Amino acid sequence: MTWLSILANPTCFLFFTGKGAVHSPSQRAWPCLERERLATLSREALMRWRGKMLKTAGTMKVLLGALLAIFGMFTLAGYDRVLQTALTGMAPPWLVSLTTSL
């Protein structure tokens, strides 16, 4: 555990400086070491998943771009008004009055 990680974490800082409600040195280090172990395990898991997340992000970027292009063409062709009219007709009256009042 580095001093920087101890100072960055207020709980660890209180435990290591003796200002926390602890009575023995082993109690002082325990919460910080558990957090450090959890952080290490989390980092290892993220590094294992990194490639999969990057691949998924690339795919999602392409899909969102295609969706944006489709909605742009809908808007340019005027079909957005048809869709809006259909959705407004299906919505309950309280929702229509609420959204038009805003």
Side-chain angles (χ1 to χ4, degrees):
M1 176 169 297
T2 64
W3 281 105
L4 184 60
S5 66
I6 293 170
L7 293 175
N9 187 339
T11 306
C12 289
F13 182 73
L14 289 176
F15 277 99
F16 272 94
T17 57
K19 296 185 180 180
V22 294
H23 304 292
S24 71
S26 63
Q27 286 178 324
R28 288 183 182 176
W30 184 80
C32 300
L33 295 177
E34 287 298 315
R35 285 192 182 130
E36 181 128 338
R37 186 178 318 147
L38 179 63
T40 302
L41 291 175
S42 298
R43 177 170 163 56
E44 289 172 3
L46 285 175
M47 293 308 289
R48 278 194 313 265
W49 299 335
R50 186 174 187 268
K52 200 181 300 183
M53 288 189 297
L54 286 172
K55 184 179 176 185
T56 304
T59 305
M60 291 304 294
K61 189 187 296 186
V62 171
L63 288 175
L64 287 174
L67 192 63
L68 181 64
I70 289 169
F71 279 123
M73 286 188 278
F74 257 54
T75 303
L76 289 175
Y79 289 120
D80 61 327
R81 303 289 182 171
V82 175
L83 183 62
Q84 179 183 3
T85 304
L87 290 175
T88 304
M90 289 189 294
W94 65 267
L95 183 60
V96 174
S97 65
L98 175 70
T99 56
T100 54
S101 68
L102 298 176

